[in-house]
């Protein structure tokens, strides 16, 4: 039950894109087509869960016993970069199809702030291992959901008469604002 | 000297990171419901930007090209940790509000972008001016966005009453949705101004 609350909280109520503004750069960058949005969303979910589990383990088994918690940022960012690269190599060797689908996105993901943010939130909220994994999964699915919603709207926007000064990013920001307003409606469910 | 001034000024308007280059967007959206938070965030980012730019520019010839990104990231993370702990010690209230977003300066693409594109290729003084200009431009952007949001959302500016007593604060402006809409409208306004300026130049 507690896990369900964590999951819904991360995916809907405190959606990382709409309420915490994380992962905004790729959110605007790759939300122009629905199928690229799907690929990116899936790749990010995959990496978040993996990186979330690894950073939780590193923090609780290495940083805390050694009392070097202040090294958190430097360690996390290196662990994330390394695990993304490792994941890329594993997928390339074992599953060619998956690599073709994820490949281009994986390298970009290292600099996606949502990954580091989820790792830090897992530590800040003092989640246990299972809760940390579920929170990461929820964050990833919430990000994918936001990306897919946005890409659907943007595909239609191309046919609409948008004022010249609002074309591109400004109108995308305003649409995101309206989506964020809609998502605040989830506030009451947990 | 003149060249250095150009590097400094370009960050303010022509290549303003938030309004023109659209990089490092998390912070401008997340913590701009109060002007004070915006200023603190801007100063922290400027601090990291300038010092990591300086260090990278000093060691750029020693670092092997292949491992440069991890090296840069560790340098950035070090200065972010310094800024994070400094604010936690001297401004505990602000630290509570900025919370998650201070450590996230590490992955602010603005910093890595400036280091990779500028500091790792240019002499020390020029990279210092570039980083300072970008930092000031970023802080300026945060102050503009947070001014709009604080005045409309709370009726105050930096905690001082800015609106008549009869003013009904718009609570949407301090919610996440208000951040997106404000930034969208400001960028649209800047597009109009810069288009007027360029068409005026050519005429």
């Amino acid at each position: 039950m507690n896990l369900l609350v964590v999951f819904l909280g991360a995916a809907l109520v405190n959606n990382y894109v709409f309420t915490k503004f994380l992962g905004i750069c790729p959110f605007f960058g790759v939300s122009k087509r629905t199928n690229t949005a799907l690929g990116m969303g899936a790749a990010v979910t995959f990496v978040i869960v993996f990186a979330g589990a690894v950073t939780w383990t590193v923090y609780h088994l290495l940083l805390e016993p050694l009392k070097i918690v202040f090294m958190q940022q430097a360690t996390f960012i290196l662990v994330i970069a390394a695990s993304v690269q490792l994941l890329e190599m594993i997928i390339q060797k074992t599953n060619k199809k998956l690599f073709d689908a994820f490949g281009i996105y994986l390298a970009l993901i290292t600099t996606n702030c949502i990954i580091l943010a989820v790792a830090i939130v897992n530590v800040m909220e003092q989640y246990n291992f299972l809760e940390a994994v579920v929170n990461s999964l929820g964050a990833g699915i919430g990000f994918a959901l936001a990306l897919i919603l946005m890409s659907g709207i943007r595909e239609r926007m191309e046919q609409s008469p948008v004022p010249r000064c609002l074309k591109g990013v400004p109108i995308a920001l305003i649409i995101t604002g309206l989506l964020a307003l809609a998502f605040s409606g989830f506030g009451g469910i947990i | 000297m003149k060249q250095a001034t150009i590097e400094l000024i370009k960050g303010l308007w022509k290549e303003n990171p938030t309004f023109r280059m659209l990089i490092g967007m998390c912070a401008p959206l997340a913590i701009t419901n109060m002007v004070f938070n915006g200023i603190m965030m801007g100063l922290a980012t400027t601090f990291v930007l300038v010092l990591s730019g300086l260090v990278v520019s000093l060691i750029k010839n020693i670092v092997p090209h292949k491992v440069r990104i991890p090296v840069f990231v560790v340098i950035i993370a070090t200065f972010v940790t310094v800024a994070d702990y400094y604010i936690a010690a001297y401004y505990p209230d602000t630290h509570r509000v900025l919370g998650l977003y201070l450590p996230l300066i590490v992955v602010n693409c603005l910093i890595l972008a400036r280091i990779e594109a500028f500091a790792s290729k240019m002499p020390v003084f020029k990279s210092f001016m570039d980083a300072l200009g970008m930092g000031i431009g970023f802080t300026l952007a945060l102050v503009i966005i947070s001014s709009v949001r604080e005045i409309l959302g709370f009726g105050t500016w930096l905690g001082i009453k800015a609106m008549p007593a009869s003013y009904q604060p718009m609570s949407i402006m301090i919610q996440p949705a208000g951040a997106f809409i404000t930034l969208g409208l400001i960028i649209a306004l800047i597009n109009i101004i810069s288009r007027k300026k360029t068409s005026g130049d050519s005429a």
Side-chain angles (χ1 to χ4, degrees):
Chain A
M1 190 58 214
N2 189 22
L3 290 179
L4 188 69
V5 171
V6 171
F7 177 78
L8 288 179
L12 297 177
V13 181
N14 295 318
N15 185 292
Y16 278 77
V17 176
F18 293 131
T19 67
K20 293 188 178 149
F21 310 100
L22 297 165
I24 295 287
C25 307
F27 176 69
F28 289 126
V30 293
S31 65
K32 288 195 181 119
R33 288 273 165 274
T34 307
N35 41 359
T36 49
L38 261 173
M40 184 71 177
V44 165
T45 310
F46 199 54
V47 173
I48 281 191
V49 174
F50 187 75
V54 175
T55 48
W56 189 94
T57 318
V58 168
Y59 185 85
H60 287 274
L61 296 186
L62 210 67
L63 297 187
E64 233 175 20
L66 293 175
K67 298 201 169 54
I68 46 168
V69 178
F70 62 88
M71 291 286 287
Q72 181 191 327
Q73 277 131 30
T75 330
F76 277 17
I77 191 84
L78 282 183
V79 166
I80 290 170
S83 52
V84 170
Q85 206 134 61
L86 190 71
L87 207 62
E88 200 178 350
M89 284 193 275
I90 294 173
I91 297 176
Q92 191 175 15
K93 288 274 190 273
T94 55
N95 195 335
K96 197 82 190 67
K97 242 187 182 157
L98 197 64
F99 182 75
D100 289 337
F102 279 5
I104 36 169
Y105 304 112
L106 278 173
L108 293 173
I109 287 175
T110 315
T111 51
N112 186 339
C113 51
I114 197 168
I115 314 267
L116 182 64
V118 170
I120 295 173
V121 166
N122 283 343
V123 170
M124 261 170 47
E125 299 281 328
Q126 298 173 332
Y127 286 142
N128 64 33
F129 183 72
L130 212 55
E131 284 170 341
V133 170
V134 170
N135 182 44
S136 314
L137 183 67
I141 289 178
F143 177 77
L145 184 69
L147 210 57
I148 292 162
L149 279 176
M150 190 66 189
S151 62
I153 297 175
R154 278 181 90 168
E155 277 186 4
R156 292 191 170 206
M157 284 296 302
E158 274 168 25
Q159 266 96 50
S160 340
V162 179
R164 214 159 65 124
C165 63
L166 283 172
K167 272 222 168 80
V169 176
I171 193 74
L173 276 163
I174 292 169
I175 294 170
T176 315
L178 297 178
L179 278 174
L181 212 54
F183 264 69
S184 68
F186 284 117
I189 62 173
I190 54 167
Chain B
M1 195 61 217
K2 205 176 151 213
Q3 269 248 299
T5 327
I6 293 172
E7 304 298 352
L8 181 73
I9 290 174
K10 72 169 194 278
L12 301 186
W13 172 262
K14 214 171 86 204
E15 293 183 20
N16 185 297
T18 307
F19 293 147
R20 308 307 298 272
M21 320 252 288
L22 305 169
I23 50 177
M25 305 264 278
C26 303
L29 290 165
I31 46 79
T32 50
N33 52 5
M34 302 269 256
V35 177
F36 185 72
N37 298 340
I39 294 175
M40 285 303 277
M41 191 68 191
L43 291 182
T45 310
T46 308
F47 167 81
V48 176
L49 200 55
V50 169
L51 283 179
S52 42
L54 268 182
V55 172
V56 165
S57 173
L58 283 171
I59 62 165
K60 62 177 181 289
N61 295 327
I62 316 168
V63 179
H65 192 69
K66 270 193 175 153
V67 294
R68 68 185 194 290
I69 299 284
V71 172
F72 295 168
V73 170
V74 172
I75 293 170
I76 298 171
T78 311
F79 288 117
V80 170
T81 309
V82 172
D84 188 18
Y85 276 67
Y86 179 84
I87 294 178
Y90 289 95
Y91 302 93
D93 291 336
T94 313
H95 189 260
R96 220 163 296 131
V97 182
L98 298 183
L100 179 62
Y101 298 98
L102 277 172
L104 284 181
I105 298 177
V106 179
V107 279
N108 187 330
C109 18
L110 162 65
I111 295 175
L112 197 59
R114 282 338 283 174
I115 285 183
E116 170 71 4
F118 206 93
S120 65
K121 298 189 183 83
M122 293 290 182
V124 177
F125 185 64
K126 255 187 163 177
S127 354
F128 172 76
M129 292 305 258
D130 173 73
L132 193 64
M134 285 292 160
I136 296 174
F138 182 73
T139 311
L140 202 67
L142 288 184
V143 170
I144 292 174
I145 303 169
S146 54
S147 297
V148 174
R149 290 183 67 196
E150 193 181 328
I151 291 174
L152 294 179
F154 288 110
T156 58
W157 191 81
L158 253 178
I160 308 158
K161 226 165 172 35
M163 291 297 227
S166 60
Y167 176 71
Q168 198 72 38
M170 294 161 69
S171 60
I172 185 185
M173 294 311 282
I174 49 175
Q175 282 171 8
F180 287 115
I181 294 171
T182 311
L183 184 57
L185 292 178
I186 292 177
I187 293 176
L189 191 69
I190 285 178
N191 281 348
I192 296 175
I193 296 172
S194 65
R195 192 170 301 130
K196 281 233 173 83
K197 248 176 113 182
T198 43
S199 64
D201 288 347
S202 59

